[in-house]
Amino acid sequence: MKKKYGLMILSSLLLVQIFYYYNVVSAQRKDVKVPESALVQTTANDKEVKKTMATTKITEENRLFVRNEAAKYYDLNPDYMGWLNIADTAIDYPVVRGEDNDYYLKHNFYKEEDVLGTIFMDYRNAGMGLDKHTILYGHYAKYGQMFKDLDRYLSEDFLSEHSEFIFSDPFTKRTYKIFSVHPSDANVDFINVTFEDNEFSNFIDTLKNESIFSLDTPVSAEDNILTLVTCNYDVNDGRLFIHAVEITE
């Protein structure tokens, strides 16, 4: 009998340890391992190279090869699609795209199992600025990682001061300006990526009407838009949608 109770106690302790690890330690790690930011400042050597290239007649003999900055991220993960940065937030992450929208929910940039996942593009998107509607997803993490800081856009003051953000693909630094912010249920209508005839124009109108703030950011059917999506716990099975239009010059 004593042996039976002893085994029951040990089993209970083991279950408590497993619960603690997955719900406290793993699920809310305060450290997130990501590559060094792609948005680095130009160095003095870079400036000298550019100056030399601008003032020197390029021939086959003196042609300079400058490796694309994105190449090092492709070396780490061929699923790399770009880098997302929102000023004054923790959102400064590489973006990947998987074969579906499930894999990177549980794997980090290095393809290691990780409850925080990584920021990923909808698998239906082509990337490189070719899509009418690009969608980026990220977990809402309690201690500020991934897309937790998106909920700061529920403050109109924060939105007015941070209405623009950068998503750089491997060849172009792209700037986006927010035109709609709204929490909602997990409505698939907000993540459409293919449109026919005037559907895209109607889609934009819908997103504007859903916004909890009245924003005067101009956006038309000729523009490309990008949506950031994370969880929102103010709504049952809720999501927070941040919609922005590309304004790259």
Side-chain angles (χ1 to χ4, degrees):
M1 183 65 71
K2 290 183 178 179
K3 184 177 180 180
K4 180 179 179 181
Y5 281 119
L7 289 173
M8 290 176 63
I9 292 171
L10 287 174
S11 298
S12 297
L13 289 172
L14 180 60
L15 287 173
V16 169
Q17 287 179 324
I18 292 173
F19 178 87
Y20 177 81
Y21 180 80
Y22 282 102
N23 291 277
V24 179
V25 179
S26 293
Q28 296 300 343
R29 288 187 299 105
K30 293 185 180 181
D31 61 311
V32 179
K33 184 172 64 173
V34 297
E36 180 182 352
S37 175
L39 301 177
V40 295
Q41 297 296 318
T42 303
T43 66
N45 288 338
D46 291 335
K47 292 178 180 178
E48 289 300 319
V49 168
K50 291 178 180 179
K51 181 178 179 181
T52 300
M53 292 178 70
T55 58
T56 304
K57 182 178 180 179
I58 302 299
T59 66
E60 289 300 324
E61 290 74 22
N62 67 9
R63 186 181 302 277
L64 295 172
F65 174 74
V66 180
R67 194 171 188 239
N68 189 320
E69 179 70 18
K72 64 183 180 183
Y73 303 113
Y74 281 123
D75 290 343
L76 293 170
N77 185 341
D79 292 340
Y80 176 74
M81 295 300 292
W83 199 285
L84 176 67
N85 176 268
I86 300 179
D88 299 323
T89 73
I91 299 173
D92 187 22
Y93 294 115
V95 176
V96 293
R97 183 190 61 200
E99 295 181 357
D100 54 43
N101 284 343
D102 294 323
Y103 181 81
Y104 281 110
L105 285 172
K106 299 178 181 178
H107 293 80
N108 63 24
F109 180 81
Y110 302 96
K111 297 193 173 184
E112 302 164 338
E113 288 192 10
D114 192 326
V115 292
L116 292 180
T118 192
I119 309 304
F120 64 95
M121 182 182 291
D122 195 294
Y123 78 99
R124 299 169 297 172
N125 285 140
M128 304 296 182
L130 299 175
D131 302 283
K132 292 299 292 179
H133 184 201
T134 300
I135 308 170
L136 305 184
Y137 304 93
H139 280 304
Y140 180 100
K142 180 178 179 181
Y143 289 107
Q145 310 97 318
M146 299 302 140
F147 270 178
K148 165 66 169 64
D149 276 347
L150 287 186
D151 64 6
R152 299 176 69 181
Y153 279 115
L154 295 173
S155 162
E156 193 166 12
D157 288 339
F158 182 84
L159 173 59
S160 65
E161 296 174 3
H162 301 81
S163 62
E164 296 182 12
F165 61 85
I166 302 295
F167 175 53
S168 297
D169 67 42
F171 297 97
T172 306
K173 180 179 179 180
R174 301 183 185 278
T175 303
Y176 293 84
K177 188 174 179 66
I178 296 170
F179 68 88
S180 175
V181 174
H182 64 99
S184 176
D185 57 14
N187 190 332
V188 295
D189 291 340
F190 298 135
I191 55 172
N192 289 338
V193 295
T194 56
F195 307 91
E196 296 180 0
D197 301 325
N198 64 340
E199 288 181 345
F200 188 62
S201 179
N202 294 336
F203 181 65
I204 291 172
D205 289 340
T206 297
L207 300 184
K208 286 181 176 180
N209 292 334
E210 289 289 330
S211 183
I212 60 175
F213 303 118
S214 179
L215 303 174
D216 58 3
T217 304
V219 53
S220 71
E222 285 69 46
D223 294 317
N224 291 342
I225 65 174
L226 182 148
T227 295
L228 307 176
V229 185
T230 193
C231 291
N232 178 272
Y233 297 105
D234 294 332
V235 180
N236 184 35
D237 191 25
R239 300 290 185 271
L240 176 60
F241 296 91
I242 311 292
H243 307 286
V245 58
E246 183 175 357
I247 58 170
T248 306
E249 295 182 357

